[in-house]
Amino acid sequence: MASTTIDAAATPPTPTAPPSHEVVDRTNRRWALGFAIAALGLWAFYKFALESMPGGVQDAFQTWLPLTAVNEAIVWVICAIGLNIVVGYAGLLDLGFVAFWAIGGYCAGWFMSFFLGQYDITFHFLSAAPPTQSGIHINWWIVLAIAGAVCAFFGILIGAPTLRLKSDYLAIVTLGFGEIIPQVFVNGEDIAGFNLSNGTKGITPLDPITALPVGPEAVSRPLGPFDLETKYLLFALIVAFCVFVSLRIREGRLGRAWLAIREDELAASMMGVPLMRSKLAAYAVGAFMGGLGGVVFAIHVNGVFADRFNFSISIILLAMVVLGGMGNVWGVMIGALGLAWINSTFLPKLGETVNDALDTEINFPSYNFLIFGSILVLMMLFRREGLFPETRTRELVQEPERTELEDMHADLEGDVR
Amino acid sequence: MSTAQPAAAGVAPGAGGLALDSELITVRFGGLVAVRDVDFTIPEGSIVSLIGPNGAGKTTFFNVLTGLYKPTTGRVFLQGEEITALPPHIIAAKGMGRTFQNIRLFGLMTAEENVMVAMHPHLRSGVFGTVIKSRRQRREEREGRETARELLHFVGIRGVEGEYARNLSYGDQRRLEVARALALRPKVLLLDEPTAGMNPQESARFVDFVHRVRDERGVSILLIEHDMAVVMKVSERVTVLDRGEKIAEGSPAEIKADERVIEAYLGKTGTEGSAR
Amino acid sequence: MTTATAVEQAEMRIAMTRKEAVGRLLGVVLLLGVAAWLVLNLVTAPSQFFNSLLFGIGNGALYALIALGYTLVYGIIELINFAHGDLFMLSTVFSGFMMVYWLGAEGANPASWAKLLLTLVLAMGFGATINVLIERVAYRRLRRAPRLAALITAVGMSFILQWVGLRWNGSAPRLWPTVVPEGGISIGDVTLQYSTIMVVTFTIPVLLLLTYVVQRTKQGRAMRATAQDQDAARLMGINVDRTIAFTFALGGAMAGAAGLLYLEAVGTTRYDAGFHLGLIAFTAAVLGGIGNLAGAVLGGFLIGIIQGLNDGLPYGFGQKWSQTVVFSILIMVMVFKPTGILGQPTVEKV
């Protein structure tokens, strides 16, 4: 079917293939619809159906799939989608993504609590906090935007000096940042006399959130700690936003540049793609979503605590992206939901069940290191494309990186600066 | 339109000024001088070949033109504008398109996407516009896609626009590289051993194709080529490099008769090219 | 139209070198700042200065040993072996069990010293075996795979080893009796700890041995050849697989030795020690110039000293910023001089 003559005029016109973007659009629409239905179904189930179920079923759900675990999993999903932009789309290994999660969380801590009241700052804006309370209290939707912007800024700040580095050096440098930033928060109780983070005591509680800043009582009432169903819906909306942004950018000019960089940096730059700017953009967009995740997590646990931000979060996020299928946002969502659930609910509950039944004392949660480590290793060895691969990724990762031809022409492998 | 044009029928060399001008280019790697004091020009609208034995510094010189290497000394001008040592993507955007000796397509992007990547400098939509799919962005994408298809059809790729580049036939991949480079709207197109791996018939057709690209796209073309038959047929001027230095320059006929060129090729004990 | 005047040419050269000049200036300013800081501390608190310095040298020896493992592996297959730090951690735990439970070493007596030597050999063997196993099971299959895949695998391996450490050592730090006694030789207020003496006296022969192996033996030659060009090495009849495995063995042995020495110097083992020390050691390798053996040693001592001074000096950031200081160094080296102190700038092939 491929025409093999150079002369176009000599080739009889063949029917043109369906444009690839239309196929992609159709697939995405199907996935989006599936997820939307599942998400709404889950909400309706918890909101209306669960109460009328027999006690045994209720207990089972409370044990194995409590809504709070679902909400926590959503936080992971948001961050994993952000990391997917960096790792999956642009092919840059980031081992310090937890930094953005932390920064986002502290944005919530600073702008949605009494905390900055210690410096006699009082500012209220569309917040559900009592108007008499000191500190900065901004509506959480706005805080989301702020946190995203701050994280994007930090993403660029971190990326600008380091994105020139070779991929593996970049991994190490991001890892370094992922260690430094949480340490700043842990030690942040007294930075030259300034209390940045309240140290390990953390900042808690945060302002209650509202679905909408104004409007009838039904949508503007502050959500209490037990109003998990509404929070679930709101968090799911943020996921939808992240997915939407991912997909849109992916199909546009910037997305093409990312893919090109992932495949062949040198060729991409020779085709007019600015490497630094495109990579920085990937960092910024990814970090933006990390910031959203940070805020949502802070709201979910009603506070920010410095010692929660450790290296293993970065690695678990990476495992989610790798398991789901680098580059495929739907696969990444599934990977993140699954692993988050295993981490938060399945391992501890399985441990309790087994230990009760057999009268043993096996520490099941400690197996998460083994599980996440094995996922990374096994997936890389046997199924690099992930469980739900995007066709491109599947073929890309199966491909040896340096072909013989490229080795022969190593003279082209100079540094692009 | 696809018959071989005699070289003289092309745009007369020098008529429209210089498409590319490089002055006294020297590239030194540590103690090794890869290219020494090379002056080199491409007249507007002409087809020029760069030949020389292996290791003569041709590819290094190419890499200087495209910004991959910074010359140790010397300057490069693209239509009078200095581009020496600019980053590769800026040089590309200013109108320097190239293909690669060992095809470097984005294998897991479709043919169409490959071409669209190279439109990057000419498209304007940013992150925000892309996310909200602004009207301008939609129009830009649609037009980009149309241009891409038009370019693909121009180089003779039809019906496989949506295939991954790596699944295309070898010939199509070579053509796709040209289409991709043309999407930059280049002033100068650099072809690095474009006929490598082609049989004589394909090579002959390729000569026609190069003329067609020049005539219809209005670009000046520089080739690195090993196949002397192709070089003699396609080029209006030939420059010969040997051990990093320019040893001859002139019309194909002059080059054929040049003592130093013959010596450079035959003096070496039959490593390559001598039979041609 | 394109005649360049000499002035223009000169201007261009200036523009091209300005970036480098700024970088160099920053470097000089930074070094001067460090020098001023050192002098200030030396003058105000001389004994603290020397104590911290000696402490740093002891740590530096350990970092050097671990850094060698990173640099050896990176030198030969260009992989950052994330799991290396955790291999070191496992070696500390192994050494603890071997010394205390299995060999029953107690107190500073000749029998204990013999057991210490025996454990050193066993720990080196342990480290080498595990490292070779990891290479065989995971990395070897990924040698031709994209870099990202090998890196992710290494990260996963690191997690798996950490899990082993967690199960073996327990989640709490474990305290061990050491053979090397507390205290040290004091001259005035300055004390040279026995543990520092021990670490340095053990490190030096190990380093000499390594140098001998790499420089003088057939295997060492094979290693250097493989590092330069695997395919060419293969054509020359070198068994590349075995050579790479041997390199991993060497690196693992260094980590094993470091494990025992750490145990004796510090007396505690913890399952997450590998991550932190590994990163510090990696920084050392990068600082010295990754792929360069002498560089790893130099970087190890430098980082050890910097960290020791930072933690111990009156005008320092203090211990709680220790990691931040080290990682800041890492990032600055990466940004300003990615080749490190002794690293060769990558020579471009023509």
Side-chain angles (χ1 to χ4, degrees), chain A residues 86-137:
Chain A
V86 180
V87 180
Y89 287 180
L92 308 162
L93 186 52
D94 185 337
L95 294 179
F97 207 72
V98 66
F100 302 124
W101 185 326
I103 293 172
Y106 276 96
C107 283
W110 295 323
F111 304 133
M112 290 178 61
S113 81
F114 63 91
F115 182 66
L116 290 174
Q118 59 176 325
Y119 296 106
D120 288 330
I121 302 169
T122 303
F123 178 76
H124 284 259
F125 187 71
L126 298 178
S127 169
T132 50
Q133 204 177 31
S134 66
I136 297 182
H137 304 274

Side-chain angles (χ1 to χ4, degrees), chain A residues 382-394:
Chain A
F382 302 111
R383 203 178 156 86
R384 254 178 258 159
E385 65 273 26
L387 294 182
F388 307 94
E390 198 198 23
T391 18
R392 305 173 197 272
T393 325
R394 175 167 57 223

Side-chain angles (χ1 to χ4, degrees), chain B residues 21 23 29 32 34 60 69-70 75 77 80 82 84-85, chain C residues 1-5 8-9 12-13 16 347-350:
Chain B
D21 180 14
E23 292 175 349
F29 298 112
L32 181 79
T60 306
Y69 295 160
K70 294 183 189 4
R75 316 168 78 185
F77 298 85
E82 170 144 16
T84 321
Chain C
M1 92 183 134
T2 56
T3 41
T5 64
E8 276 175 316
Q9 285 244 347
M12 253 192 53
R13 231 163 311 167
M16 275 166 68
V347 180
E348 284 168 284
K349 297 171 207 157
V350 188

